[in-house]
Amino acid sequence: MLVRGLEHEHATGRAPLPRGIQVCKDAEEPGQDKLVAAELAARMKQSAATQFEGNLYVEGFSAEESAHSLFLQLTDLFTSSVGRQLNTSGDRRQPKDRFADYLLSKLGVEISAQPSESLGDMAVHIVL
């Protein structure tokens, strides 16, 4: 998913290469987090060399407690809201649904999901 996102950002000119990338995820379990970060960093270094012709600099992959990071908390709220809109059907009147609708409307985010054979089960288009 990171590689596809980087390809898209470069192709559209919003984040052209060369550039560096750092990834920080919400900490879950210290040992597992280190393994995931190392594996992800290795995969991204491979992609940087092969798909991005050395124009992507893999700077760091880590896990951090979201309780200590406002940005991780905001990211969690945003992704949870997107997930609620995509995965909840029928009567969406639960407090989390109302919050998701409110947050995304205030951010001016529109989400559409369509089945897509070329991308797997579903393609999601998020307009910011």
Side-chain angles (χ1 to χ4, degrees):
M1 193 179 325
L2 283 173
V3 170
R4 284 178 138 177
L6 288 164
E7 287 171 341
H8 174 76
E9 294 301 304
H10 176 67
T12 60
R14 291 191 335 187
L17 298 174
R19 70 177 43 249
I21 184 172
Q22 295 178 331
V23 175
C24 180
K25 70 177 264 336
D26 193 5
E28 295 172 19
E29 190 175 314
Q32 183 68 19
D33 289 338
K34 286 182 182 180
L35 291 173
V36 168
E39 183 178 334
L40 189 55
R43 286 184 179 185
M44 288 305 298
K45 286 177 183 176
Q46 178 69 27
S47 292
T50 58
Q51 290 176 265
F52 300 112
E53 301 170 349
N55 288 319
L56 178 67
Y57 309 104
V58 180
E59 296 175 353
F61 287 74
S62 62
E64 186 177 323
E65 290 289 335
S66 62
H68 306 295
S69 172
L70 176 62
F71 293 117
L72 281 177
Q73 290 178 20
L74 291 172
T75 301
D76 186 42
L77 288 172
F78 178 77
T79 56
S80 297
S81 295
V82 169
R84 292 240 19 128
Q85 283 199 350
L86 288 173
N87 299 315
T88 304
S89 60
D91 187 21
R92 298 185 67 248
R93 296 183 193 203
Q94 299 298 318
K96 287 182 180 181
D97 297 315
R98 290 195 309 267
F99 175 79
D101 295 343
Y102 173 80
L103 177 64
L104 295 176
S105 71
K106 288 297 181 188
L107 293 173
V109 175
E110 295 178 27
I111 299 172
S112 65
Q114 301 171 353
S116 172
E117 291 180 20
S118 64
L119 296 176
D121 295 334
M122 179 184 295
V124 176
H125 183 73
I126 300 175
V127 179
L128 300 174

